[in-house]
Amino acid sequence: MSRTKLLVLAAAPALALGLASPALAVNATDHPRVVTAESPVRSIGANQTEIVTVTCPRGTFALSGGWSVSSASIDVTGNRAAGDRRWQIRFQNEANQSGRVQAFARCAF
């Protein structure tokens, strides 16, 4: 019986941390202190590389990034922070035709 109590007591701080920490939230998109910034949709030429940078709103910082592509022939060859408020995605179009790309940044207050 004391073993069960120890496990419950040991789990209580972890539960409290999970409730208080947006980084540990199950769905951070529902957190009011996290917003998504997005680039305009941009064209990428055939067999070209395109770097797209997204800037988070003032008073926020970039946590992570994501992307959307119009073709499976467009690869992401870079995905990184480019300063406190910016996130940068590098796209490589392997196709013989142009495509469209868009970058996103998750920004926290």
Side-chain angles (χ1 to χ4, degrees), residues 17-28 31 34 63:
L17 180 61
L19 293 175
S21 174
L24 299 177
V26 173
N27 187 357
H31 197 279
V34 178
L63 289 174

Side-chain angles (χ1 to χ4, degrees), residues 31-93:
H31 197 279
R33 308 278 303 159
V34 178
V35 297
T36 301
E38 58 187 57
S39 73
V41 175
R42 292 175 58 174
S43 180
I44 182 170
N47 301 304
Q48 296 295 309
T49 297
E50 184 76 25
I51 297 174
V52 180
T53 303
V54 181
T55 302
C56 291
R58 289 192 191 281
T60 66
F61 61 93
L63 289 174
S64 64
W67 59 88
S68 175
V69 298
S70 63
S71 166
S73 299
I74 301 173
D75 297 324
V76 172
T77 58
N79 179 16
R80 67 180 187 89
D84 290 342
R85 292 181 42 223
R86 295 179 301 151
W87 198 267
Q88 193 171 74
I89 308 288
R90 184 174 188 262
F91 299 96
Q92 176 67 44
N93 187 355

